[in-house]
């Protein structure tokens, strides 16, 4: 079976409860699995970062930029282009995008 990636428009990314941050290009968006490309730039970051709770297990590959992720209780993860990280369902985090542009590939399993 061959997969063909067609041109699908990106859409605003809802990070929870109607809060939109950046844009997502969906590769797969199914009930138990989400795969996509997420991008955000400094223009999107007008408000201070809010806590983000992972509602499923998530693995990310940073495609461009840098981010610091504070993971409770007291772990700070600094990710740059090419880095991979994985977070468990229920983890509370605070994201601080430190570059002008940030892009990642994410795999979210519920």
């Amino acid at each position: 079976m061959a997969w063909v990636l067609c041109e699908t428009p990106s859409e605003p990314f809802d990070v929870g409860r109607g809060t939109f941050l950046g844009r997502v290009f969906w590769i797969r968006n199914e009930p138990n699995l989400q795969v996509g490309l997420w991008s955000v730039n400094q223009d999107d970051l007008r408000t201070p970062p809010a806590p983000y709770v992972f509602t499923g297990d998530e693995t990310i590959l940073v495609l461009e930029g840098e981010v610091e992720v504070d993971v409770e209780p007291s772990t700070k993860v600094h990710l740059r282009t090419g880095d991979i990280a994985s977070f468990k369902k229920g983890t509370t985090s605070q994201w601080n995008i430190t570059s002008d542009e940030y892009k990642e590939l994410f795999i979210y399993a519920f």
Side-chain angles (χ1 to χ4, degrees):
M1 173 185 280
W3 293 93
V4 178
L5 190 59
C6 299
E7 282 197 37
T8 303
S10 64
E11 61 186 48
F13 187 62
D14 188 346
V15 295
R17 296 182 304 254
T19 302
F20 295 96
L21 182 61
R23 301 196 62 79
V24 66
F25 171 85
W26 292 108
I27 297 169
R28 293 179 72 174
N29 191 1
E30 301 169 5
N32 296 318
L33 176 67
Q34 292 180 329
V35 179
L37 302 171
W38 178 60
S39 65
V40 64
N41 61 44
Q42 287 298 322
D43 290 338
D44 295 328
L45 303 173
R46 298 172 207 265
T47 59
Y52 176 72
V53 178
F54 292 92
T55 57
D57 293 336
E58 182 171 355
T59 300
I60 64 170
L61 167 63
V62 179
L63 301 173
E64 180 182 329
E66 294 186 36
V67 63
E68 289 181 352
V69 184
D70 292 324
V71 182
E72 292 185 359
S74 61
T75 302
K76 185 177 289 244
V77 180
H78 186 93
L79 301 170
R80 298 180 181 109
T81 302
D83 288 345
I84 297 173
S86 192
F87 303 93
K88 290 282 200 185
K89 177 181 179 177
T91 301
T92 299
S93 63
Q94 185 107 6
W95 290 60
N96 181 26
I97 309 294
T98 57
S99 56
D100 290 336
E101 288 279 333
Y102 176 79
K103 296 177 183 175
E104 73 178 31
L105 170 73
F106 65 88
I107 301 169
Y108 215 104
F110 300 96

PDB file of all heavy atoms in Angstrom, residues 88-101:
ATOM      1  N   LYS A  88       4.465  11.388  28.695  1.00  0.00           N
ATOM      2  CA  LYS A  88       3.397  10.472  29.099  1.00  0.00           C
ATOM      3  C   LYS A  88       2.074  11.197  29.294  1.00  0.00           C
ATOM      4  O   LYS A  88       2.037  12.362  29.704  1.00  0.00           O
ATOM      5  CB  LYS A  88       3.761   9.784  30.418  1.00  0.00           C
ATOM      6  CG  LYS A  88       4.873   8.786  30.302  1.00  0.00           C
ATOM      7  CD  LYS A  88       4.320   7.545  29.718  1.00  0.00           C
ATOM      8  CE  LYS A  88       5.198   6.353  30.012  1.00  0.00           C
ATOM      9  NZ  LYS A  88       4.713   5.196  29.350  1.00  0.00           N
ATOM     10  N   LYS A  89       0.998  10.504  29.033  1.00  0.00           N
ATOM     11  CA  LYS A  89      -0.350  11.005  29.281  1.00  0.00           C
ATOM     12  C   LYS A  89      -0.465  11.482  30.735  1.00  0.00           C
ATOM     13  O   LYS A  89       0.028  10.819  31.652  1.00  0.00           O
ATOM     14  CB  LYS A  89      -1.364   9.891  29.022  1.00  0.00           C
ATOM     15  CG  LYS A  89      -2.785  10.269  29.320  1.00  0.00           C
ATOM     16  CD  LYS A  89      -3.710   9.096  29.069  1.00  0.00           C
ATOM     17  CE  LYS A  89      -5.140   9.475  29.394  1.00  0.00           C
ATOM     18  NZ  LYS A  89      -6.069   8.381  29.090  1.00  0.00           N
ATOM     19  N   GLY A  90      -1.084  12.644  30.922  1.00  0.00           N
ATOM     20  CA  GLY A  90      -1.293  13.193  32.250  1.00  0.00           C
ATOM     21  C   GLY A  90      -0.189  14.118  32.734  1.00  0.00           C
ATOM     22  O   GLY A  90      -0.341  14.781  33.755  1.00  0.00           O
ATOM     23  N   THR A  91       0.920  14.183  32.004  1.00  0.00           N
ATOM     24  CA  THR A  91       2.033  15.055  32.379  1.00  0.00           C
ATOM     25  C   THR A  91       1.631  16.512  32.203  1.00  0.00           C
ATOM     26  O   THR A  91       1.076  16.891  31.177  1.00  0.00           O
ATOM     27  CB  THR A  91       3.274  14.754  31.516  1.00  0.00           C
ATOM     28  OG1 THR A  91       3.640  13.387  31.695  1.00  0.00           O
ATOM     29  CG2 THR A  91       4.434  15.655  31.862  1.00  0.00           C
ATOM     30  N   THR A  92       1.927  17.319  33.212  1.00  0.00           N
ATOM     31  CA  THR A  92       1.690  18.758  33.117  1.00  0.00           C
ATOM     32  C   THR A  92       2.988  19.418  32.686  1.00  0.00           C
ATOM     33  O   THR A  92       4.068  19.089  33.189  1.00  0.00           O
ATOM     34  CB  THR A  92       1.237  19.336  34.473  1.00  0.00           C
ATOM     35  OG1 THR A  92       0.013  18.706  34.845  1.00  0.00           O
ATOM     36  CG2 THR A  92       1.018  20.838  34.391  1.00  0.00           C
ATOM     37  N   SER A  93       2.890  20.353  31.752  1.00  0.00           N
ATOM     38  CA  SER A  93       4.085  21.001  31.215  1.00  0.00           C
ATOM     39  C   SER A  93       3.820  22.478  30.955  1.00  0.00           C
ATOM     40  O   SER A  93       2.677  22.920  30.902  1.00  0.00           O
ATOM     41  CB  SER A  93       4.515  20.310  29.918  1.00  0.00           C
ATOM     42  OG  SER A  93       3.495  20.450  28.935  1.00  0.00           O
ATOM     43  N   GLN A  94       4.902  23.206  30.798  1.00  0.00           N
ATOM     44  CA  GLN A  94       4.852  24.617  30.407  1.00  0.00           C
ATOM     45  C   GLN A  94       5.839  24.775  29.264  1.00  0.00           C
ATOM     46  O   GLN A  94       7.006  24.424  29.389  1.00  0.00           O
ATOM     47  CB  GLN A  94       5.264  25.497  31.593  1.00  0.00           C
ATOM     48  CG  GLN A  94       5.135  26.957  31.340  1.00  0.00           C
ATOM     49  CD  GLN A  94       3.953  27.547  32.085  1.00  0.00           C
ATOM     50  OE1 GLN A  94       3.304  26.874  32.871  1.00  0.00           O
ATOM     51  NE2 GLN A  94       3.681  28.789  31.844  1.00  0.00           N
ATOM     52  N   TRP A  95       5.366  25.277  28.120  1.00  0.00           N
ATOM     53  CA  TRP A  95       6.191  25.396  26.920  1.00  0.00           C
ATOM     54  C   TRP A  95       6.620  26.840  26.722  1.00  0.00           C
ATOM     55  O   TRP A  95       5.794  27.746  26.771  1.00  0.00           O
ATOM     56  CB  TRP A  95       5.403  24.928  25.693  1.00  0.00           C
ATOM     57  CG  TRP A  95       5.179  23.450  25.678  1.00  0.00           C
ATOM     58  CD1 TRP A  95       4.518  22.708  26.612  1.00  0.00           C
ATOM     59  CD2 TRP A  95       5.632  22.541  24.694  1.00  0.00           C
ATOM     60  NE1 TRP A  95       4.524  21.390  26.266  1.00  0.00           N
ATOM     61  CE2 TRP A  95       5.200  21.248  25.094  1.00  0.00           C
ATOM     62  CE3 TRP A  95       6.351  22.674  23.521  1.00  0.00           C
ATOM     63  CZ2 TRP A  95       5.478  20.111  24.347  1.00  0.00           C
ATOM     64  CZ3 TRP A  95       6.612  21.541  22.774  1.00  0.00           C
ATOM     65  CH2 TRP A  95       6.175  20.277  23.185  1.00  0.00           C
ATOM     66  N   ASN A  96       7.912  27.030  26.454  1.00  0.00           N
ATOM     67  CA  ASN A  96       8.454  28.347  26.165  1.00  0.00           C
ATOM     68  C   ASN A  96       9.240  28.259  24.850  1.00  0.00           C
ATOM     69  O   ASN A  96      10.360  27.740  24.830  1.00  0.00           O
ATOM     70  CB  ASN A  96       9.353  28.819  27.315  1.00  0.00           C
ATOM     71  CG  ASN A  96       9.919  30.201  27.059  1.00  0.00           C
ATOM     72  OD1 ASN A  96       9.328  30.993  26.332  1.00  0.00           O
ATOM     73  ND2 ASN A  96      11.057  30.479  27.648  1.00  0.00           N
ATOM     74  N   ILE A  97       8.633  28.741  23.774  1.00  0.00           N
ATOM     75  CA  ILE A  97       9.290  28.747  22.467  1.00  0.00           C
ATOM     76  C   ILE A  97      10.356  29.840  22.510  1.00  0.00           C
ATOM     77  O   ILE A  97      10.044  31.007  22.748  1.00  0.00           O
ATOM     78  CB  ILE A  97       8.281  29.022  21.331  1.00  0.00           C
ATOM     79  CG1 ILE A  97       7.067  28.089  21.408  1.00  0.00           C
ATOM     80  CG2 ILE A  97       8.973  28.973  19.972  1.00  0.00           C
ATOM     81  CD1 ILE A  97       7.323  26.649  21.182  1.00  0.00           C
ATOM     82  N   THR A  98      11.617  29.462  22.267  1.00  0.00           N
ATOM     83  CA  THR A  98      12.710  30.425  22.405  1.00  0.00           C
ATOM     84  C   THR A  98      13.277  30.881  21.061  1.00  0.00           C
ATOM     85  O   THR A  98      14.209  31.671  21.035  1.00  0.00           O
ATOM     86  CB  THR A  98      13.839  29.840  23.275  1.00  0.00           C
ATOM     87  OG1 THR A  98      14.290  28.611  22.692  1.00  0.00           O
ATOM     88  CG2 THR A  98      13.345  29.584  24.690  1.00  0.00           C
ATOM     89  N   SER A  99      12.728  30.405  19.966  1.00  0.00           N
ATOM     90  CA  SER A  99      13.179  30.818  18.632  1.00  0.00           C
ATOM     91  C   SER A  99      12.049  31.566  17.933  1.00  0.00           C
ATOM     92  O   SER A  99      10.904  31.522  18.353  1.00  0.00           O
ATOM     93  CB  SER A  99      13.597  29.593  17.810  1.00  0.00           C
ATOM     94  OG  SER A  99      12.547  28.659  17.744  1.00  0.00           O
ATOM     95  N   ASP A 100      12.392  32.256  16.842  1.00  0.00           N
ATOM     96  CA  ASP A 100      11.368  33.002  16.100  1.00  0.00           C
ATOM     97  C   ASP A 100      10.335  32.077  15.474  1.00  0.00           C
ATOM     98  O   ASP A 100       9.151  32.398  15.413  1.00  0.00           O
ATOM     99  CB  ASP A 100      12.010  33.868  15.012  1.00  0.00           C
ATOM    100  CG  ASP A 100      12.795  35.029  15.595  1.00  0.00           C
ATOM    101  OD1 ASP A 100      12.503  35.445  16.735  1.00  0.00           O
ATOM    102  OD2 ASP A 100      13.706  35.513  14.910  1.00  0.00           O
ATOM    103  N   GLU A 101      10.779  30.933  14.987  1.00  0.00           N
ATOM    104  CA  GLU A 101       9.898  29.928  14.385  1.00  0.00           C
ATOM    105  C   GLU A 101      10.140  28.597  15.088  1.00  0.00           C
ATOM    106  O   GLU A 101      11.275  28.270  15.437  1.00  0.00           O
ATOM    107  CB  GLU A 101      10.206  29.733  12.901  1.00  0.00           C
ATOM    108  CG  GLU A 101       9.792  30.861  12.007  1.00  0.00           C
ATOM    109  CD  GLU A 101       8.317  30.827  11.640  1.00  0.00           C
ATOM    110  OE1 GLU A 101       7.713  29.741  11.627  1.00  0.00           O
ATOM    111  OE2 GLU A 101       7.780  31.900  11.369  1.00  0.00           O
TER     112      GLU A 101
END
